Amino acid sequence: MKKSLKVIALLAAMAATMASFASCSSDTGNSSTGGSTSGETSTSEGASSGEVVNLSWIQIGGQPNDLDMVTDALNEYSSEKIGVTCEFTYLDWGVWGDRVKAMLQGGENFDIMFNNGDVYTSAIDLGRFAALDDLLAETPDLKEFIPELCWEGVTYKDAIYGVPTYKDNTQTQYWVWDNNIVEDYSIPYQDLHTVKEMDPYIRQIQDEINAGNITTSKYAFYMIRDGINGQFMNYDASPSGTHIGVRYDDDTATVVRIMEQPEMMETYQTLYEWYQDGIINPDAATVTEAPTYVIVGSAQGFPGAEVGWGNQRGVPVVTEPWGGPLWSNGTIQGSINSISSSSEHQVEALKYLELVNTDEYMRNTLVYGIEGTHYTKNDDGTITRDEVKKNDYAPAGYAQATFMTMYPEAPNPATMYTDVAAWNETGEVSVLMGFNFDKSSVENQISACTVVCQSYDYNIYTGSVDPNVAIPEMYAKLEEAGLKDIEAELQKQINEFLGK
Protein backbone atom coordinates (compact mmCIF):
# COMPACT_ATOMS: atom_id res chain seq x y z
CA MET A 1 0.00 0.00 0.00
CA LYS A 2 2.78 2.35 -0.85
CA LYS A 3 1.38 5.60 -2.03
CA SER A 4 3.13 8.45 -3.78
CA LEU A 5 2.33 11.85 -2.42
CA LYS A 6 1.59 14.82 -4.62
CA VAL A 7 1.34 17.93 -2.50
CA ILE A 8 1.23 21.50 -3.77
CA ALA A 9 4.74 22.92 -3.96
CA LEU A 10 4.87 26.41 -2.55
CA LEU A 11 7.35 29.23 -2.67
CA ALA A 12 9.76 29.10 0.10
CA ALA A 13 12.46 30.24 2.22
CA MET A 14 14.97 29.11 4.72
CA ALA A 15 14.94 27.46 8.08
CA ALA A 16 17.43 28.33 10.67
CA THR A 17 18.93 25.99 13.17
CA MET A 18 17.15 24.71 16.23
CA ALA A 19 18.31 27.21 18.73
CA SER A 20 16.67 28.94 21.65
CA PHE A 21 13.50 30.70 22.44
CA ALA A 22 12.09 33.46 24.50
CA SER A 23 10.26 34.22 27.67
CA CYS A 24 7.59 36.76 28.42
CA SER A 25 4.48 36.90 30.50
CA SER A 26 1.02 37.37 29.06
CA ASP A 27 -1.46 39.93 30.24
CA THR A 28 -4.43 38.40 28.46
CA GLY A 29 -6.05 37.62 31.77
CA ASN A 30 -7.48 34.35 30.47
CA SER A 31 -9.80 32.45 32.73
CA SER A 32 -10.74 28.79 32.62
CA THR A 33 -14.35 29.68 31.95
CA GLY A 34 -13.90 30.60 28.30
CA GLY A 35 -13.01 28.60 25.23
CA SER A 36 -14.24 25.50 23.52
CA THR A 37 -13.16 21.92 23.08
CA SER A 38 -15.62 21.24 20.29
CA GLY A 39 -14.50 23.88 17.80
CA GLU A 40 -17.11 26.52 18.69
CA THR A 41 -16.11 30.05 17.74
CA SER A 42 -14.66 31.98 20.65
CA THR A 43 -14.40 35.73 20.09
CA SER A 44 -13.20 38.03 22.85
CA GLU A 45 -15.05 41.07 24.09
CA GLY A 46 -11.90 43.10 23.41
CA ALA A 47 -11.79 42.07 19.77
CA SER A 48 -15.44 42.87 19.18
CA SER A 49 -14.98 46.33 20.71
CA GLY A 50 -12.01 47.11 18.49
CA GLU A 51 -9.43 46.79 21.25
CA VAL A 52 -6.16 45.03 20.54
CA VAL A 53 -6.10 41.49 21.92
CA ASN A 54 -2.83 40.36 23.54
CA LEU A 55 -2.04 36.63 23.38
CA SER A 56 0.43 34.40 25.19
CA TRP A 57 2.44 31.77 23.30
CA ILE A 58 4.43 29.03 25.04
CA GLN A 59 7.52 28.05 23.06
CA ILE A 60 10.62 25.90 23.53
CA GLY A 61 14.24 26.92 24.12
CA GLY A 62 16.29 29.57 25.85
CA GLN A 63 15.23 33.20 25.86
CA PRO A 64 16.95 35.34 23.18
CA ASN A 65 18.67 38.49 24.40
CA ASP A 66 16.79 40.62 21.87
CA LEU A 67 13.37 39.15 22.57
CA ASP A 68 11.79 42.46 23.62
CA MET A 69 13.09 44.28 20.54
CA VAL A 70 11.73 41.63 18.17
CA THR A 71 8.45 41.28 20.05
CA ASP A 72 7.86 45.03 19.77
CA ALA A 73 8.40 44.89 16.00
CA LEU A 74 6.07 41.90 15.62
CA ASN A 75 3.37 43.50 17.75
CA GLU A 76 3.46 46.81 15.90
CA TYR A 77 2.86 44.94 12.65
CA SER A 78 0.28 42.39 13.84
CA SER A 79 -1.79 44.93 15.74
CA GLU A 80 -2.26 46.91 12.54
CA LYS A 81 -2.92 43.82 10.41
CA ILE A 82 -5.32 41.86 12.62
CA GLY A 83 -5.71 43.74 15.91
CA VAL A 84 -3.72 41.11 17.82
CA THR A 85 -0.39 41.16 19.65
CA CYS A 86 1.51 38.36 21.35
CA GLU A 87 3.99 37.82 24.14
CA PHE A 88 6.23 34.77 24.21
CA THR A 89 7.23 32.50 27.06
CA TYR A 90 10.14 30.30 26.06
CA LEU A 91 10.83 27.27 28.23
CA ASP A 92 14.42 26.08 28.10
CA TRP A 93 15.21 22.77 26.39
CA GLY A 94 15.97 20.93 29.61
CA VAL A 95 12.77 21.93 31.41
CA TRP A 96 10.29 22.16 28.54
CA GLY A 97 8.86 18.63 28.79
CA ASP A 98 8.27 18.63 32.54
CA ARG A 99 7.07 22.23 32.61
CA VAL A 100 4.57 21.75 29.79
CA LYS A 101 3.24 18.59 31.43
CA ALA A 102 2.74 20.48 34.69
CA MET A 103 1.04 23.38 32.89
CA LEU A 104 -1.37 21.08 31.12
CA GLN A 105 -2.21 19.00 34.16
CA GLY A 106 -2.48 22.04 36.41
CA GLY A 107 -4.74 24.00 34.07
CA GLU A 108 -2.39 26.98 33.72
CA ASN A 109 -3.41 29.75 31.36
CA PHE A 110 -2.01 30.24 27.88
CA ASP A 111 -3.41 30.95 24.43
CA ILE A 112 -1.00 29.09 22.13
CA MET A 113 1.42 26.29 22.99
CA PHE A 114 4.10 24.56 20.94
CA ASN A 115 3.86 20.80 21.42
CA ASN A 116 4.53 17.50 19.69
CA GLY A 117 3.88 13.76 19.67
CA ASP A 118 2.72 12.34 22.97
CA VAL A 119 2.25 15.82 24.46
CA TYR A 120 -0.31 16.52 21.74
CA THR A 121 -2.51 13.47 22.27
CA SER A 122 -2.13 13.54 26.07
CA ALA A 123 -3.24 17.18 26.22
CA ILE A 124 -6.25 16.39 24.04
CA ASP A 125 -7.17 13.52 26.36
CA LEU A 126 -7.01 16.00 29.24
CA GLY A 127 -9.32 18.39 27.37
CA ARG A 128 -6.67 21.13 27.32
CA PHE A 129 -6.51 21.86 23.57
CA ALA A 130 -9.36 23.36 21.56
CA ALA A 131 -10.74 21.56 18.53
CA LEU A 132 -10.14 23.81 15.53
CA ASP A 133 -12.32 22.29 12.81
CA ASP A 134 -15.03 24.96 12.94
CA LEU A 135 -12.58 27.75 13.76
CA LEU A 136 -10.58 27.05 10.60
CA ALA A 137 -13.44 28.58 8.61
CA GLU A 138 -12.20 31.91 10.04
CA THR A 139 -8.71 31.34 8.56
CA PRO A 140 -9.20 29.93 5.05
CA ASP A 141 -5.73 31.04 3.89
CA LEU A 142 -4.11 28.98 6.64
CA LYS A 143 -6.23 25.92 5.89
CA GLU A 144 -5.38 26.08 2.20
CA PHE A 145 -1.69 26.88 2.69
CA ILE A 146 -0.88 23.78 4.74
CA PRO A 147 -1.14 20.50 2.77
CA GLU A 148 -4.07 18.25 3.55
CA LEU A 149 -1.80 15.41 4.65
CA CYS A 150 -0.46 17.62 7.43
CA TRP A 151 -3.97 18.27 8.71
CA GLU A 152 -4.66 14.55 8.47
CA GLY A 153 -1.55 13.87 10.54
CA VAL A 154 -2.82 15.98 13.47
CA THR A 155 -6.37 14.62 13.40
CA TYR A 156 -7.11 12.79 16.66
CA LYS A 157 -10.47 11.44 17.76
CA ASP A 158 -11.97 12.81 14.54
CA ALA A 159 -10.91 16.41 15.14
CA ILE A 160 -8.00 18.79 14.54
CA TYR A 161 -6.45 20.17 17.73
CA GLY A 162 -3.41 22.00 16.42
CA VAL A 163 -1.77 23.78 13.51
CA PRO A 164 0.91 21.51 12.02
CA THR A 165 4.15 23.17 10.99
CA TYR A 166 4.52 22.93 7.19
CA LYS A 167 8.20 22.24 6.64
CA ASP A 168 10.22 19.10 5.84
CA ASN A 169 7.23 17.00 6.88
CA THR A 170 8.61 13.91 5.24
CA GLN A 171 11.38 12.26 7.22
CA THR A 172 14.60 11.53 5.37
CA GLN A 173 17.65 10.21 7.18
CA TYR A 174 21.13 10.76 5.80
CA TRP A 175 24.56 9.42 6.54
CA VAL A 176 26.71 12.54 6.75
CA TRP A 177 30.42 11.93 6.07
CA ASP A 178 33.53 14.06 6.38
CA ASN A 179 34.36 14.48 2.70
CA ASN A 180 38.08 14.68 3.42
CA ILE A 181 37.99 11.16 4.90
CA VAL A 182 35.82 9.91 2.02
CA GLU A 183 38.28 11.20 -0.56
CA ASP A 184 41.45 10.16 1.27
CA TYR A 185 40.27 6.56 1.74
CA SER A 186 38.03 6.13 -1.31
CA ILE A 187 34.90 5.41 0.74
CA PRO A 188 32.01 4.45 -1.62
CA TYR A 189 29.57 6.36 0.58
CA GLN A 190 26.76 6.37 -2.00
CA ASP A 191 26.60 2.57 -1.83
CA LEU A 192 26.44 2.40 1.98
CA HIS A 193 23.01 2.48 3.59
CA THR A 194 23.18 0.10 6.56
CA VAL A 195 25.78 -0.14 9.29
CA LYS A 196 26.49 -3.67 8.12
CA GLU A 197 27.41 -2.32 4.68
CA MET A 198 29.57 0.33 6.34
CA ASP A 199 31.46 -2.21 8.45
CA PRO A 200 34.67 -2.75 6.39
CA TYR A 201 35.11 0.98 5.80
CA ILE A 202 34.47 1.94 9.41
CA ARG A 203 37.07 -0.63 10.44
CA GLN A 204 39.51 0.77 7.89
CA ILE A 205 39.01 4.27 9.32
CA GLN A 206 39.56 3.02 12.89
CA ASP A 207 42.79 1.30 11.81
CA GLU A 208 43.99 4.64 10.39
CA ILE A 209 43.02 6.40 13.62
CA ASN A 210 44.93 3.83 15.67
CA ALA A 211 47.94 4.25 13.38
CA GLY A 212 47.91 7.99 13.95
CA ASN A 213 46.99 8.84 10.36
CA ILE A 214 43.60 10.34 11.26
CA THR A 215 43.63 12.75 14.18
CA THR A 216 40.24 14.46 13.91
CA SER A 217 38.55 11.86 16.12
CA LYS A 218 39.54 8.96 18.37
CA TYR A 219 36.60 6.87 17.19
CA ALA A 220 35.41 6.03 13.70
CA PHE A 221 31.78 5.87 14.85
CA TYR A 222 31.18 8.24 17.77
CA MET A 223 27.81 7.75 19.45
CA ILE A 224 25.62 9.32 22.11
CA ARG A 225 23.16 7.42 24.27
CA ASP A 226 20.17 8.02 21.98
CA GLY A 227 21.85 5.89 19.33
CA ILE A 228 21.54 6.31 15.57
CA ASN A 229 19.38 9.30 14.78
CA GLY A 230 16.15 8.11 13.15
CA GLN A 231 16.74 4.43 13.91
CA PHE A 232 13.00 3.72 14.24
CA MET A 233 11.83 5.83 11.30
CA ASN A 234 10.40 2.89 9.36
CA TYR A 235 7.91 2.04 12.12
CA ASP A 236 4.66 3.88 12.74
CA ALA A 237 2.06 3.86 15.53
CA SER A 238 4.70 3.14 18.16
CA PRO A 239 3.56 4.11 21.67
CA SER A 240 6.46 5.72 23.52
CA GLY A 241 8.24 3.34 25.87
CA THR A 242 7.02 0.09 24.30
CA HIS A 243 9.18 -0.70 21.23
CA ILE A 244 6.21 -2.01 19.27
CA GLY A 245 4.75 -0.63 16.06
CA VAL A 246 3.84 -1.24 12.42
CA ARG A 247 6.29 -1.00 9.54
CA TYR A 248 5.20 1.88 7.30
CA ASP A 249 4.93 -0.31 4.16
CA ASP A 250 3.29 -3.36 5.72
CA ASP A 251 -0.02 -3.81 3.90
CA THR A 252 -1.25 -6.09 6.69
CA ALA A 253 -0.59 -3.37 9.30
CA THR A 254 0.55 -5.98 11.80
CA VAL A 255 1.92 -4.84 15.16
CA VAL A 256 5.44 -6.18 15.67
CA ARG A 257 8.18 -5.92 18.27
CA ILE A 258 10.44 -3.44 16.54
CA MET A 259 13.78 -4.31 18.07
CA GLU A 260 13.36 -8.00 17.24
CA GLN A 261 13.00 -7.33 13.52
CA PRO A 262 15.88 -8.74 11.41
CA GLU A 263 17.17 -5.39 10.11
CA MET A 264 17.14 -3.93 13.61
CA MET A 265 18.90 -6.94 15.12
CA GLU A 266 21.55 -6.73 12.38
CA THR A 267 22.16 -3.08 13.22
CA TYR A 268 22.49 -3.67 16.96
CA GLN A 269 24.70 -6.72 16.44
CA THR A 270 27.06 -4.68 14.23
CA LEU A 271 27.16 -1.87 16.78
CA TYR A 272 27.93 -4.41 19.51
CA GLU A 273 30.87 -5.72 17.51
CA TRP A 274 32.12 -2.17 16.90
CA TYR A 275 31.82 -1.38 20.59
CA GLN A 276 33.78 -4.47 21.54
CA ASP A 277 36.49 -3.55 19.03
CA GLY A 278 36.93 0.03 20.25
CA ILE A 279 35.31 1.66 17.24
CA ILE A 280 32.56 3.27 19.34
CA ASN A 281 33.44 5.51 22.29
CA PRO A 282 33.22 3.51 25.55
CA ASP A 283 31.04 6.14 27.29
CA ALA A 284 28.44 6.15 24.50
CA ALA A 285 25.59 4.92 26.73
CA THR A 286 25.95 7.93 29.04
CA VAL A 287 26.85 10.75 26.63
CA THR A 288 23.95 13.16 25.98
CA GLU A 289 25.55 15.56 23.47
CA ALA A 290 27.69 14.74 20.45
CA PRO A 291 30.84 16.71 19.69
CA THR A 292 30.65 19.24 16.88
CA TYR A 293 32.77 16.99 14.68
CA VAL A 294 32.22 13.30 13.93
CA ILE A 295 33.56 11.36 10.97
CA VAL A 296 30.17 9.94 10.06
CA GLY A 297 26.75 10.20 11.65
CA SER A 298 23.04 10.06 10.91
CA ALA A 299 20.97 13.22 10.56
CA GLN A 300 17.45 14.05 9.49
CA GLY A 301 17.26 16.57 6.67
CA PHE A 302 16.47 17.36 3.07
CA PRO A 303 18.34 18.25 -0.13
CA GLY A 304 20.58 21.20 0.61
CA ALA A 305 20.93 20.49 4.32
CA GLU A 306 24.54 19.46 3.75
CA VAL A 307 25.51 23.14 3.66
CA GLY A 308 24.47 23.60 7.28
CA TRP A 309 25.89 20.26 8.37
CA GLY A 310 29.25 21.14 6.85
CA ASN A 311 29.27 24.52 8.56
CA GLN A 312 28.51 22.89 11.91
CA ARG A 313 31.30 20.33 11.56
CA GLY A 314 33.81 22.74 10.15
CA VAL A 315 34.61 20.49 7.19
CA PRO A 316 32.99 19.80 3.82
CA VAL A 317 30.58 16.89 3.99
CA VAL A 318 28.95 14.46 1.58
CA THR A 319 25.63 12.77 2.28
CA GLU A 320 23.63 9.74 1.24
CA PRO A 321 19.98 9.04 2.23
CA TRP A 322 19.48 5.75 4.05
CA GLY A 323 15.78 6.11 4.77
CA GLY A 324 12.81 8.04 3.38
CA PRO A 325 11.38 10.39 2.36
CA LEU A 326 8.42 9.15 4.36
CA TRP A 327 5.16 10.70 5.52
CA SER A 328 3.70 9.48 8.79
CA ASN A 329 1.90 10.91 11.77
CA GLY A 330 5.23 10.97 13.57
CA THR A 331 6.93 13.05 10.89
CA ILE A 332 4.11 15.60 11.00
CA GLN A 333 3.63 15.70 14.76
CA GLY A 334 7.19 16.81 15.43
CA SER A 335 5.96 20.42 15.53
CA ILE A 336 2.41 21.54 16.32
CA ASN A 337 1.01 24.75 17.79
CA SER A 338 -2.25 24.30 19.65
CA ILE A 339 -4.74 26.69 21.22
CA SER A 340 -5.90 26.31 24.80
CA SER A 341 -9.46 25.11 25.29
CA SER A 342 -9.75 27.71 28.07
CA SER A 343 -8.46 30.61 25.97
CA GLU A 344 -10.89 33.49 25.66
CA HIS A 345 -9.32 34.40 22.31
CA GLN A 346 -9.37 31.24 20.23
CA VAL A 347 -10.29 32.95 16.95
CA GLU A 348 -7.66 35.63 17.45
CA ALA A 349 -5.06 32.99 18.32
CA LEU A 350 -5.80 31.09 15.12
CA LYS A 351 -5.66 34.30 13.09
CA TYR A 352 -2.29 35.05 14.64
CA LEU A 353 -1.01 31.60 13.66
CA GLU A 354 -2.33 32.23 10.17
CA LEU A 355 -0.41 35.51 10.00
CA VAL A 356 2.93 34.06 11.17
CA ASN A 357 2.60 31.19 8.70
CA THR A 358 1.51 33.08 5.59
CA ASP A 359 2.95 36.60 5.99
CA GLU A 360 6.62 36.90 4.98
CA TYR A 361 7.38 39.84 7.27
CA MET A 362 5.91 38.14 10.34
CA ARG A 363 7.52 34.80 9.61
CA ASN A 364 11.01 36.11 8.97
CA THR A 365 10.96 38.58 11.84
CA LEU A 366 9.82 35.81 14.17
CA VAL A 367 12.66 33.50 13.18
CA TYR A 368 15.53 35.83 12.23
CA GLY A 369 14.82 39.09 14.02
CA ILE A 370 14.84 42.58 12.53
CA GLU A 371 16.09 43.24 9.01
CA GLY A 372 19.09 45.56 9.08
CA THR A 373 19.91 44.56 12.65
CA HIS A 374 19.94 40.79 12.78
CA TYR A 375 20.12 40.04 9.06
CA THR A 376 20.51 41.56 5.60
CA LYS A 377 18.54 40.58 2.51
CA ASN A 378 20.60 39.60 -0.52
CA ASP A 379 19.68 40.28 -4.15
CA ASP A 380 19.18 36.57 -4.87
CA GLY A 381 16.42 36.16 -2.30
CA THR A 382 18.62 34.76 0.46
CA ILE A 383 19.72 36.50 3.64
CA THR A 384 22.98 36.90 5.50
CA ARG A 385 22.77 36.95 9.26
CA ASP A 386 24.88 39.39 11.24
CA GLU A 387 27.73 37.43 12.83
CA VAL A 388 27.31 39.17 16.18
CA LYS A 389 23.61 40.00 16.42
CA LYS A 390 22.44 36.58 15.26
CA ASN A 391 23.59 35.29 18.62
CA ASP A 392 21.20 37.67 20.34
CA TYR A 393 18.19 36.28 18.51
CA ALA A 394 18.23 32.63 17.49
CA PRO A 395 14.97 30.82 18.35
CA ALA A 396 14.14 27.31 17.20
CA GLY A 397 12.49 28.01 13.86
CA TYR A 398 11.10 24.51 13.46
CA ALA A 399 8.79 25.06 16.43
CA GLN A 400 7.28 28.37 15.33
CA ALA A 401 5.67 28.14 11.90
CA THR A 402 6.22 27.08 8.31
CA PHE A 403 9.60 27.03 6.57
CA MET A 404 7.91 27.84 3.27
CA THR A 405 7.70 31.61 3.78
CA MET A 406 11.18 31.93 5.26
CA TYR A 407 14.13 33.45 3.44
CA PRO A 408 16.92 30.92 2.86
CA GLU A 409 20.11 31.74 4.68
CA ALA A 410 23.21 32.05 2.48
CA PRO A 411 25.12 30.05 1.34
CA ASN A 412 22.00 27.93 0.85
CA PRO A 413 20.34 28.43 -2.53
CA ALA A 414 17.36 30.73 -2.95
CA THR A 415 15.35 27.67 -4.02
CA MET A 416 16.01 25.84 -0.76
CA TYR A 417 12.41 25.61 0.40
CA THR A 418 10.78 25.12 -2.96
CA ASP A 419 13.20 22.19 -3.14
CA VAL A 420 11.94 20.99 0.26
CA ALA A 421 8.34 21.21 -0.93
CA ALA A 422 9.23 19.24 -4.05
CA TRP A 423 11.07 16.68 -1.91
CA ASN A 424 7.95 16.27 0.23
CA GLU A 425 6.03 15.41 -2.93
CA THR A 426 8.21 12.36 -3.53
CA GLY A 427 7.53 10.88 -0.11
CA GLU A 428 5.82 7.58 0.51
CA VAL A 429 2.85 7.59 2.85
CA SER A 430 2.63 5.26 5.80
CA VAL A 431 -0.13 2.66 5.70
CA LEU A 432 -1.29 4.16 9.01
CA MET A 433 -1.31 7.80 7.95
CA GLY A 434 -3.97 9.54 10.03
CA PHE A 435 -4.07 6.90 12.75
CA ASN A 436 -3.49 8.04 16.33
CA PHE A 437 -3.49 5.53 19.17
CA ASP A 438 -5.89 6.21 22.03
CA LYS A 439 -3.80 4.83 24.88
CA SER A 440 -6.19 5.74 27.69
CA SER A 441 -7.17 2.12 28.42
CA VAL A 442 -3.54 0.96 28.73
CA GLU A 443 -1.89 3.98 30.34
CA ASN A 444 -0.74 2.01 33.37
CA GLN A 445 0.82 -0.72 31.23
CA ILE A 446 2.60 1.87 29.08
CA SER A 447 3.99 3.58 32.19
CA ALA A 448 5.28 0.26 33.49
CA CYS A 449 6.82 -0.63 30.13
CA THR A 450 8.50 2.76 29.91
CA VAL A 451 10.36 2.04 33.15
CA VAL A 452 11.60 -1.26 31.70
CA CYS A 453 12.77 0.35 28.46
CA GLN A 454 14.64 3.04 30.33
CA SER A 455 16.87 0.42 31.91
CA TYR A 456 17.82 -1.15 28.55
CA ASP A 457 17.55 1.41 25.75
CA TYR A 458 20.79 3.36 25.92
CA ASN A 459 22.95 0.25 26.20
CA ILE A 460 21.22 -1.47 23.27
CA TYR A 461 21.19 1.66 21.11
CA THR A 462 24.96 2.13 21.46
CA GLY A 463 26.13 -1.48 21.17
CA SER A 464 27.19 -1.53 24.81
CA VAL A 465 25.47 -4.90 25.39
CA ASP A 466 24.92 -8.04 23.35
CA PRO A 467 21.54 -7.57 21.61
CA ASN A 468 21.04 -11.33 21.36
CA VAL A 469 20.85 -11.37 25.15
CA ALA A 470 19.53 -7.93 26.05
CA ILE A 471 16.65 -7.62 23.58
CA PRO A 472 14.90 -10.92 24.43
CA GLU A 473 15.44 -10.16 28.10
CA MET A 474 13.92 -6.70 27.70
CA TYR A 475 10.82 -7.97 25.89
CA ALA A 476 10.32 -10.67 28.54
CA LYS A 477 10.25 -7.97 31.21
CA LEU A 478 7.99 -5.86 29.02
CA GLU A 479 5.53 -8.75 28.90
CA GLU A 480 5.56 -8.86 32.69
CA ALA A 481 4.78 -5.13 32.65
CA GLY A 482 1.73 -5.59 30.39
CA LEU A 483 3.10 -5.38 26.85
CA LYS A 484 0.64 -7.97 25.50
CA ASP A 485 -2.28 -5.80 26.63
CA ILE A 486 -0.81 -2.84 24.75
CA GLU A 487 -0.16 -4.93 21.63
CA ALA A 488 -3.73 -6.26 21.64
CA GLU A 489 -5.29 -2.81 22.12
CA LEU A 490 -3.07 -1.22 19.47
CA GLN A 491 -3.87 -3.93 16.91
CA LYS A 492 -7.58 -3.66 17.72
CA GLN A 493 -7.63 0.10 17.10
CA ILE A 494 -5.57 -0.25 13.92
CA ASN A 495 -7.98 -2.87 12.55
CA GLU A 496 -10.92 -0.59 13.35
CA PHE A 497 -9.18 2.36 11.71
CA LEU A 498 -8.59 0.33 8.53
CA GLY A 499 -12.09 -1.16 8.57
CA LYS A 500 -10.90 -4.72 9.04
Side-chain angles (χ1 to χ4, degrees):
M1 190 169 161
K2 294 182 182 178
K3 296 176 278 187
S4 287
L5 169 68
K6 294 296 173 189
V7 208
I8 299 174
L10 296 167
L11 264 184
M14 150 103 199
T17 55
M18 286 173 33
S20 312
F21 282 62
S23 165
C24 286
S25 60
S26 167
D27 57 6
T28 53
N30 288 350
S31 71
S32 59
T33 58
S36 156
T37 57
S38 60
E40 298 164 2
T41 299
S42 170
T43 304
S44 70
E45 182 178 326
S48 61
S49 64
E51 297 177 7
V52 173
V53 170
N54 189 38
L55 305 172
S56 61
W57 188 348
I58 308 300
Q59 267 283 352
I60 186 172
Q63 176 174 320
N65 295 332
D66 286 349
L67 172 64
D68 290 344
M69 178 195 306
V70 175
T71 300
D72 287 346
L74 290 167
N75 286 344
E76 181 179 1
Y77 186 85
S78 64
S79 62
E80 293 180 2
K81 294 287 285 189
I82 59 172
V84 178
T85 59
C86 189
E87 296 187 12
F88 302 87
T89 299
Y90 288 95
L91 306 177
D92 213 340
W93 302 102
V95 304
W96 178 82
D98 290 339
R99 185 71 184 92
V100 161
K101 182 178 180 180
M103 291 182 70
L104 293 170
Q105 292 179 340
E108 291 189 38
N109 294 328
F110 62 89
D111 293 300
I112 305 170
M113 175 182 282
F114 163 76
N115 63 97
N116 56 25
D118 285 344
V119 174
Y120 181 63
T121 54
S122 296
I124 295 168
D125 290 339
L126 288 170
R128 292 291 281 127
F129 289 162
L132 305 181
D133 302 75
D134 293 340
L135 294 177
L136 285 167
E138 302 285 337
T139 55
D141 290 345
L142 178 67
K143 184 65 167 64
E144 182 179 355
F145 174 71
I146 296 175
E148 189 58 36
L149 268 181
C150 292
W151 294 113
E152 186 177 340
V154 296
T155 299
Y156 180 59
K157 296 183 175 179
D158 299 321
I160 294 169
Y161 291 88
V163 176
T165 302
Y166 179 27
K167 54 185 186 66
D168 53 330
N169 298 114
T170 55
Q171 182 175 357
T172 306
Q173 292 293 147
Y174 292 81
W175 291 120
V176 184
W177 294 82
D178 177 344
N179 190 46
N180 297 323
I181 300 292
V182 166
E183 290 186 348
D184 289 347
Y185 298 99
S186 301
I187 308 295
Y189 71 96
Q190 292 175 312
D191 299 328
L192 309 178
H193 301 99
T194 68
V195 293
K196 186 68 173 176
E197 292 170 346
M198 294 163 64
D199 181 72
Y201 305 99
I202 292 295
R203 291 184 179 278
Q204 176 190 4
I205 291 170
Q206 190 64 49
D207 287 343
E208 296 295 328
I209 291 172
N210 295 342
N213 298 324
I214 296 176
T215 59
T216 51
S217 177
K218 291 175 61 178
Y219 303 100
F221 202 80
Y222 191 96
M223 298 193 76
I224 64 172
R225 69 182 191 178
D226 291 331
I228 295 172
N229 183 274
Q231 61 188 312
F232 300 121
M233 73 161 292
N234 288 329
Y235 292 88
D236 201 357
S238 179
S240 178
T242 64
H243 291 315
I244 62 174
V246 172
R247 188 173 165 90
Y248 78 93
D249 55 358
D250 176 13
D251 289 344
T252 69
T254 301
V255 176
V256 298
R257 297 181 177 186
I258 297 171
M259 297 178 81
E260 291 181 343
Q261 300 310 297
E263 78 275 15
M264 301 299 292
M265 285 295 294
E266 179 184 85
T267 294
Y268 296 129
Q269 181 62 40
T270 303
L271 294 177
Y272 176 61
E273 293 168 3
W274 288 356
Y275 187 88
Q276 295 298 305
D277 293 338
I279 293 170
I280 294 173
N281 47 302
D283 60 350
T286 60
V287 175
T288 58
E289 290 188 28
T292 302
Y293 173 86
V294 294
I295 291 172
V296 59
S298 175
Q300 182 180 347
F302 43 82
E306 62 270 11
V307 174
W309 291 330
N311 289 340
Q312 290 166 7
R313 291 195 192 184
V315 296
V317 300
V318 289
T319 65
E320 175 64 17
W322 64 261
L326 171 66
W327 285 83
S328 70
N329 284 0
T331 68
I332 293 166
Q333 291 183 10
S335 177
I336 309 169
N337 281 287
S338 298
I339 296 171
S340 172
S341 59
S342 61
S343 170
E344 297 177 351
H345 310 299
Q346 292 176 14
V347 170
E348 292 80 9
L350 194 59
K351 287 183 176 180
Y352 191 82
L353 289 174
E354 179 180 52
L355 191 67
V356 298
N357 275 277
T358 60
D359 186 287
E360 282 191 3
Y361 174 84
M362 283 293 290
R363 181 67 192 104
N364 287 284
T365 303
L366 183 62
V367 71
Y368 294 131
I370 297 172
E371 182 181 356
T373 299
H374 299 99
Y375 73 91
T376 303
K377 290 180 71 174
N378 303 318
D379 291 340
D380 65 354
T382 65
I383 66 161
T384 299
R385 300 177 75 184
D386 184 275
E387 285 301 316
V388 175
K389 291 301 292 179
K390 71 179 183 181
N391 297 317
D392 289 326
Y393 191 78
Y398 86 99
Q400 297 174 323
T402 183
F403 286 3
M404 303 308 176
T405 47
M406 289 171 59
Y407 305 134
E409 182 180 353
N412 291 289
T415 60
M416 183 174 184
Y417 287 109
T418 50
D419 293 343
V420 170
W423 185 251
N424 280 345
E425 292 183 21
T426 69
E428 291 185 272
V429 182
S430 168
V431 296
L432 289 182
M433 187 67 199
F435 171 78
N436 284 288
F437 182 42
D438 181 357
K439 56 187 180 295
S440 56
S441 65
V442 287
E443 286 276 14
N444 292 336
Q445 293 93 323
I446 290 176
S447 296
C449 285
T450 299
V451 173
V452 173
C453 288
Q454 288 172 343
S455 65
Y456 283 91
D457 284 353
Y458 299 145
N459 287 314
I460 295 173
Y461 294 166
T462 58
S464 304
V465 294
D466 185 348
N468 293 306
V469 175
I471 289 176
E473 184 179 287
M474 179 189 69
Y475 277 112
K477 290 187 178 180
L478 287 172
E479 284 191 8
E480 294 174 4
L483 183 64
K484 288 187 175 180
D485 293 340
I486 305 169
E487 289 173 317
E489 180 62 24
L490 179 58
Q491 189 69 70
K492 172 177 170 288
Q493 291 187 29
I494 287 171
N495 291 346
E496 291 172 351
F497 173 77
L498 296 175
K500 291 187 177 182

